[in-house]
Amino acid sequence: MLSKSQNEQPPRLKGKIISGSYFDFFRNQLEFLTNCAREHGDIVSFRFFHLPIFLIGHPDMIEEVFAKNSANFRKAKTVRMPSQRMLFGNSLLVSEGEDWLRQRRATQPAFHQNYLSDYARLIVDTTLDHIGDWKDGDVHIISDDLVDLTFKLASRAFFGIDGVWEKEIIRGLINLNKSIFSTQNRLFWFLDNFLPTPKHLRLDEQFEKWIN
């Protein structure tokens, strides 16, 4: 069943008295999300401190939120804070309403089925090139490799460049942004977003390097 009556509420995780499920989530995100889907099905609610969260897992529900009924939903406040706005601007990731619709329509032709086979070849070739110098016994941080590979794919597919220099600048910006993002629901989250804290100043410095 993909819908609930007005009087029926989704399952709710109990969590801790003050923090809710915040620390459980960040202790092991993949395990937390997997257990939610396995134990509670298509939708489950919990909270991060005071913030209510609804996790949906069924494709039809996801389509309802992001496509069919998107006008009734807002992007998370976390992506509308100053540090995120600095990094993402008013791009498709964070825009809403008419701005989002205009950008979505502008990018949609790039994902036409006629281009998919070309993208598939590009993905295979770029991935083989990326792992070409890996050797037995090498140790890799898979999250870093996936970021690098994703950036290579996006650079080649959308801009026709390798973007080696840009990758390092963007990696620095993303890492700084993640360090600020990870403190959400704490006092540091607001300080780093609105005051010239060391993290905020480093983010400004990295951003200036990128745009210049």
Side-chain angles (χ1 to χ4, degrees), residues 1-208:
M1 181 181 293
L2 301 182
S3 62
K4 292 183 176 292
S5 69
Q6 291 181 339
N7 296 324
E8 186 180 0
Q9 297 296 320
R12 182 180 179 86
L13 302 185
K14 185 176 181 180
K16 304 296 189 298
I17 294 176
I18 296 177
S19 61
S21 299
Y22 180 86
F23 293 106
D24 294 332
F25 174 77
F26 283 103
R27 188 176 298 115
N28 190 325
Q29 297 180 32
L30 182 59
E31 181 181 44
F32 179 88
L33 297 174
T34 301
N35 288 341
C36 281
R38 182 187 297 118
E39 296 172 11
H40 302 287
D42 294 332
I43 182 169
V44 62
S45 68
F46 47 92
R47 63 183 173 83
F48 289 170
F49 292 90
H50 65 286
L51 183 67
I53 307 289
F54 291 88
L55 176 66
I56 58 176
H58 195 284
D60 290 346
M61 287 183 170
I62 295 171
E63 183 182 20
E64 185 76 17
V65 171
F66 285 102
K68 293 182 178 179
N69 204 18
S70 60
N72 289 331
F73 297 91
R74 291 207 68 187
K75 296 290 177 68
K77 183 178 181 180
T78 50
V79 300
R80 293 184 277 120
M81 294 292 272
S83 59
Q84 274 66 46
R85 282 292 188 181
M86 182 187 298
L87 185 59
F88 300 116
N90 195 39
S91 64
L92 192 62
L93 178 65
V94 297
S95 61
E96 298 177 306
E98 289 299 319
D99 281 341
W100 175 84
L101 184 61
R102 174 180 53 80
Q103 294 183 66
R104 180 178 179 274
R105 286 172 175 169
T107 58
Q108 192 167 347
F111 297 94
H112 192 276
Q113 61 180 358
N114 291 341
Y115 297 107
L116 294 183
S117 60
D118 292 335
Y119 290 149
R121 284 193 296 271
L122 178 65
I123 290 170
V124 171
D125 291 343
T126 303
T127 302
L128 291 175
D129 177 64
H130 183 74
I131 66 174
D133 59 350
W134 288 12
K135 302 179 181 63
D136 289 342
D138 286 350
V139 177
H140 290 266
I141 300 175
I142 194 64
S143 58
D144 287 346
D145 278 302
L146 288 175
V147 168
D148 289 346
L149 178 58
T150 301
F151 189 80
K152 284 182 182 178
L153 288 169
S155 298
R156 293 178 180 179
F158 300 130
F159 305 108
I161 62 174
D162 286 328
V164 176
W165 179 83
E166 292 87 350
K167 178 193 70 177
E168 295 306 319
I169 296 296
I170 291 175
R171 182 196 293 281
L173 283 166
I174 290 175
N175 287 339
L176 274 172
N177 194 275
K178 283 168 59 179
S179 70
I180 296 175
F181 188 86
S182 66
T183 61
Q184 60 180 304
N185 292 317
R186 303 180 194 175
L187 178 61
F188 291 116
W189 165 254
F190 294 96
L191 296 180
D192 288 334
N193 268 281
F194 293 105
L195 296 179
T197 62
K199 283 184 181 179
H200 194 133
L201 293 175
R202 289 202 304 272
L203 188 64
D204 286 344
E205 182 182 357
Q206 285 288 91
F207 189 77
E208 286 296 323

